[in-house]
Amino acid sequence: MVGNGMAGARLVSEVRARSADVRITVFGAEAWQPYNRVLLSNVLAGTSSPDQVRLLDPRWYADHGVTARLGVPVTAIDRDCRTVIAADGTREPYDVLVLATGSEPVVPPIPGAERATAFRTLDDCDRIREAAERAGGAVVVGGGLLGIEAARGLAGRGVPVTLLHLAGHLMERQLDAEAGLILRETLGGLGVDIRTGVTVSAVRERHVELSTGERMDADLVVLACGVRPVVGLARDAGLEVDRGVVVDDELRTDDPSIFAIGECAQHAGHVYGLVAPAWEQASVVADLVTGTDKEARYRGSRLVTRLKASSVELAAMGETHLTEDEAEIVRFSHRHKGTYRKLVIRDGRLVGAILLGETAAVGTLTQLFDRGGPLPFDRAGLLFPGLGGVPVADSPTRMPDAARVCQCNNVTKGQIRACWESGARDVEAVAAATRATTGCGGCRDAVEGIVGWLCEQEGVSA
């Protein structure tokens, strides 16, 4: 296994859960134990410690017979000898090789970019937090998910922060202009000054320069300009590479003994940058390499994006940019309250949605989007769950056991109920048994609600 991030660590644990006999060696470029990169914004904000976002206990490798070479990157693949060569000169043979090399930050080619800090790893978090302690002001470049989370985290630490974004509105890939505007106003109320439609031309010692010639003071500059798949190792080995390492439905590259998963993999033209697809891919590869299910195939993922910034509720899924000419659009907007809800419906099925502000409807809509089932006639009831006979999927009393509570780990209410009946009486115990809440963390409130409801029904203490 080359890569010990969220995809690589998940595959190692999935393989070991299926077989104790497969000899596993994992190389990780970072010296850290694998951690949940999705929750780095919590570490930056100070609401979580590095230990709290760790995916595997340090003793896990030894306890499960896994050889872990942490802080030892792989530098080459010898496909003829079926061997990987590490930076320390180690040559490790393989029968099956899995690439989970992830992504790297995009650094704009501007003068002084080396003075800025990317926001991608725990080491980046440490550098940003240390700089924030003495910074009189900070600039975050990039208004996507990571940029917003970084800016909100810094503002939560009391640092005056300005977010600069090239596009006309925030999160333009996931949100339409109106949702972007309301998100901007919400963040503004939380201490984040936002400038859109601007280009940074240089990073200087204590300021950044815009293409207009304007200067903005900044003791700390954080780059969140997107990521790109790390494919150099695969390309140098002669594997097919496009935007990512090209794989088929078995997640195999054009060398049948080499797989690729996670953010470095390109399947059916798509490179996924979210955790749920990576974990779905890990499950398929684990089934194939252990022989547990030789018919396992990956058919692509339906993406639900959740913003993980304190005091900001946002979920977006599917095709959010279709027009009235292309689809049925149902929309509700209340700028004063920071609320925006939009449904995109085609052929009677939900193909996209945006939920900003109070997101009680997210559970119901995620299920409808994920399953592609027909929608009820009362569209407005979908935006305002509980009205018009439309059930609230996030309410434990109305949620069917088949409802998927944790999208990242594919955990249903029924599985949580079974876990509770086996003795799990709090979220941590449920997480340990099912992995619910350990992805993006967006389902934690729902899991807490189910556990609390079950305890209340049975008259036991949570």
Side-chain angles (χ1 to χ4, degrees):
M1 166 66 65
V2 179
N4 196 37
M6 297 185 73
R10 182 56 165 256
L11 178 57
V12 169
S13 62
E14 293 274 5
V15 169
R16 189 51 83 227
R18 290 162 173 75
S19 171
D21 301 325
V22 177
R23 187 168 68 88
I24 304 173
T25 301
V26 56
F27 289 87
E30 290 186 71
W32 291 93
Q33 299 287 334
Y35 57 87
N36 190 331
R37 201 182 304 277
V38 176
L39 300 180
L40 285 181
S41 57
N42 293 351
V43 177
L44 180 58
T47 57
S48 297
S49 69
D51 283 345
Q52 289 175 309
V53 300
R54 190 172 58 199
L55 291 172
L56 295 176
D57 185 277
R59 297 168 296 183
W60 187 91
Y61 297 103
D63 291 346
H64 292 82
V66 174
T67 301
R69 306 293 311 284
L70 305 185
V72 183
V74 168
T75 57
I77 303 169
D78 185 337
R79 292 169 56 192
D80 293 332
C81 297
R82 289 196 175 187
T83 301
V84 298
I85 299 95
D88 62 357
T90 302
R91 298 180 66 89
E92 183 72 26
Y94 66 83
D95 296 308
V96 171
L97 171 64
V98 182
L99 301 178
T101 48
S103 294
E104 61 186 358
V106 172
V107 177
I110 57 175
E114 70 280 358
R115 294 189 178 94
T117 302
F119 179 47
R120 180 66 179 167
T121 69
L122 268 176
D123 287 335
D124 294 336
C125 275
D126 284 345
R127 286 190 286 269
I128 294 170
R129 286 188 298 169
E130 181 180 349
E133 291 178 0
R134 56 180 185 275
V139 164
V140 175
V141 183
L145 280 172
L146 283 179
I148 292 171
E149 290 170 4
R152 177 67 185 102
L154 288 168
R157 287 180 169 272
V159 179
V161 58
T162 300
L163 187 153
L164 305 178
H165 190 45
L166 176 64
H169 67 269
L170 299 175
M171 292 181 62
E172 72 280 0
R173 293 184 179 180
Q174 295 89 7
L175 305 182
D176 59 24
E178 187 171 2
L181 171 62
I182 295 175
L183 176 59
R184 174 177 180 162
E185 293 173 344
T186 298
L187 291 168
L190 296 170
V192 180
D193 184 31
I194 296 171
R195 298 275 303 275
T196 56
V198 296
T199 301
V200 175
S201 58
V203 179
R204 304 304 183 189
E205 188 169 346
R206 293 197 175 276
H207 68 272
V208 298
E209 294 178 2
L210 305 184
S211 59
T212 58
E214 182 182 355
R215 293 186 175 190
M216 303 195 67
D217 293 340
D219 299 314
L220 168 63
V221 179
V222 177
L223 296 180
C225 305
V227 296
R228 56 175 163 244
V230 176
V231 298
L233 190 65
R235 181 181 287 117
D236 292 345
L239 298 174
E240 183 182 358
V241 171
D242 186 16
R243 288 182 300 127
V245 183
V246 177
V247 296
D248 61 16
D249 287 355
E250 292 186 337
L251 286 311
R252 294 183 197 267
T253 67
D254 49 342
D255 182 330
S257 65
I258 302 178
F259 296 78
I261 62 172
E263 292 182 330
C264 73
Q266 178 177 324
H267 173 266
H270 296 285
V271 176
Y272 296 100
L274 299 176
V275 62
W279 286 355
E280 292 170 9
Q281 293 168 1
S283 179
V284 170
V285 173
D287 281 339
L288 292 172
V289 300
T290 62
T292 303
D293 181 1
K294 295 182 180 180
E295 301 304 315
R297 298 293 185 270
Y298 178 68
R299 305 299 187 187
S301 298
R302 296 173 68 82
L303 299 184
V304 179
T305 300
R306 300 291 292 263
L307 179 64
K308 294 156 291 297
S310 178
S311 303
V312 183
E313 296 289 331
L314 172 63
M317 61 196 81
E319 302 176 72
T320 57
H321 293 295
L322 295 182
T323 67
E324 298 277 3
D325 293 332
E326 300 169 302
E328 176 187 352
I329 308 295
V330 183
R331 184 187 291 108
F332 172 81
S333 178
H334 192 172
R335 282 181 60 183
H336 181 72
K337 290 190 65 176
T339 300
Y340 183 75
R341 303 174 188 177
K342 177 181 180 180
L343 307 180
V344 183
I345 301 165
R346 187 167 54 201
D347 299 327
R349 285 167 169 74
L350 186 69
V351 297
I354 299 172
L355 296 167
L356 173 59
E358 170 55 44
T359 56
V362 69
T364 299
L365 295 177
T366 299
Q367 291 173 43
L368 290 169
F369 171 71
D370 190 55
R371 297 173 183 173
L375 300 183
F377 178 78
D378 179 16
R379 311 295 204 222
L382 292 171
L383 291 180
F384 302 95
L387 300 177
V390 178
V392 183
D394 284 355
S395 170
T397 58
R398 298 189 179 191
M399 186 185 298
D401 276 357
R404 184 155 57 163
V405 178
C406 177
Q407 298 296 317
C408 297
N409 289 287
N410 194 27
V411 181
T412 65
K413 177 193 171 185
Q415 289 171 296
I416 295 173
R417 181 198 293 274
C419 182
W420 186 90
E421 291 172 348
S422 297
R425 292 293 184 265
D426 56 33
V427 174
E428 286 66 32
V430 170
T434 67
R435 291 176 170 155
T437 77
T438 64
C440 73
C443 65
R444 186 177 181 88
D445 288 347
V447 174
E448 285 180 343
I450 292 169
V451 171
W453 171 69
L454 288 168
C455 289
E456 182 180 340
Q457 294 296 304
E458 298 298 326
V460 300
S461 299

